[in-house]
Amino acid sequence: INKYNKSNIDSDSLMVLGTGPSLSKTMTKLTQCSNKYKFMAVNNFPLSEHFFIIRPSYLCLIDSMYWVNINKLELSVSKKVGNVFKKLNDVDWEMTLFVPVEAKNILFKRIKNRNITVEFIRCPRYDFDSVTVAAWSLSLGVLPPRVNVVITAIYLSVILGYKNIKVVGVDMNRIKNLEVDQESNSTGFRIDYFYNDKEKPFYFQHKLKGRQGLPVHIRLMRESSTFKWFALVNSYSKNRGVNLCNASEYSFIDSIDRCEL
């Protein structure tokens, strides 16, 4: 990442595109301001028809579903992962893909596209209980742990040198859709994304086959950790003189200033 610096960037402004359902309400606006912003997409954004219209300069993938054995994934998950790589191999513009080093072996087998530059990043495999230690780690150049891809994308955007960063489509309200099976006690979320807004939200327990959903207390701890890191990257951005704001139509994130798209 260090090879990127301000001289390589022709714009101060970047938009981080989450995949929450609210993003579908802002797609028209996004296409209208595509000449003013660079775009950093995340996760399954390539599944959207807008991927080839927005033509993001960056894509960030940090979920292990993108590099584990695809046969170990639930069918609904493996289909999406396979389609993501299919779309990436059709990219006809220059794009940088950020993925953890754990994905190194599999990524070069799945991506055969000279238009894509792959940058491998090192994310801690653990969270920091201490907020002070977590903030200190960011200041030392340690990436956030893999708690949420938008958090990683924001941090990378700051490192890349962008001074005006907006996040959109970051609803972060899935906690409202947490369910517990009243017989098996297995937990899951009813999740919706902007790219399948015409479908019913699918019920998601675990990405791997044969696994039960995580216990409620672990689910809630992970949600809490995510919101903590949103607050931390917000403080980190401000300390670096970056104007970071949340332009999502709807969002649970209360630590990042709101703004209009």
Side-chain angles (χ1 to χ4, degrees), residues 161-248:
Y162 292 97
K163 294 298 182 182
N164 179 32
I165 301 171
K166 291 184 179 181
V167 295
V168 291
V170 191
D171 299 47
M172 287 304 301
N173 64 335
R174 67 179 180 179
I175 192 172
K176 296 197 301 182
N177 300 317
L178 176 62
E179 296 183 6
V180 179
D181 187 284
Q182 295 303 295
E183 293 184 3
S184 67
N185 277 341
S186 182
T187 67
F189 290 106
R190 294 206 175 274
I191 303 178
D192 192 15
Y193 297 102
F194 85 96
Y195 48 79
N196 61 342
D197 57 351
K198 294 180 181 178
E199 303 174 11
K200 292 182 179 179
F202 72 95
Y203 187 63
F204 180 78
Q205 288 185 305
H206 203 289
K207 62 191 170 191
L208 298 178
K209 292 178 180 176
R211 298 283 186 91
Q212 278 199 328
L214 297 171
V216 169
H217 72 281
I218 294 180
R219 297 260 195 210
L220 295 180
M221 281 194 298
R222 290 189 174 187
E223 293 298 303
S224 176
S225 174
T226 297
F227 284 98
K228 175 186 73 179
W229 280 97
F230 270 116
L232 286 167
V233 295
N234 179 64
S235 297
Y236 173 79
S237 301
K238 282 182 165 39
N239 291 337
R240 295 284 294 260
V242 174
N243 176 29
L244 171 67
C245 66
N246 183 3
S248 302

Side-chain angles (χ1 to χ4, degrees), residues 10-131:
D10 57 7
S11 172
D12 275 336
S13 301
L14 180 136
M15 197 94 65
V16 177
L17 307 174
T19 55
S22 70
L23 188 64
S24 60
K25 300 177 181 179
T26 59
M27 267 303 168
T28 301
K29 293 181 181 178
L30 287 178
T31 56
Q32 290 173 347
C33 62
S34 59
N35 61 331
K36 298 179 182 178
Y37 288 86
K38 294 286 189 178
F39 292 96
M40 169 89 75
V42 302
N43 284 358
N44 288 345
F45 188 89
L47 298 181
S48 166
E49 60 184 5
H50 299 283
F51 178 61
F52 291 94
I53 299 173
I54 296 294
R55 299 165 69 91
S57 299
Y58 312 100
L59 177 67
C60 183
L61 309 176
I62 66 168
D63 195 300
S64 61
M65 66 181 177
Y66 295 108
W67 65 83
V68 300
N69 187 324
I70 203 163
N71 294 320
K72 294 182 179 180
L73 298 172
E74 284 286 347
L75 184 59
S76 61
V77 177
S78 64
K79 282 185 176 180
K80 288 183 172 64
V81 170
N83 284 334
V84 165
F85 286 108
K86 183 179 179 181
K87 299 291 186 183
L88 290 180
N89 283 319
D90 289 336
V91 165
D92 59 359
W93 66 92
E94 289 188 5
M95 190 179 76
T96 301
L97 174 63
F98 293 105
V99 291
V101 292
E102 292 90 336
K104 194 167 188 177
N105 292 332
I106 195 68
L107 257 291
F108 287 126
K109 295 179 181 178
R110 293 183 176 177
I111 295 180
K112 306 292 184 181
N113 190 335
R114 293 185 178 181
N115 293 312
I116 296 178
T117 301
V118 182
E119 291 289 335
F120 295 101
I121 57 178
R122 295 187 180 276
C123 302
R125 297 185 179 183
Y126 48 84
D127 195 356
F128 299 100
D129 291 331
S130 169
V131 175

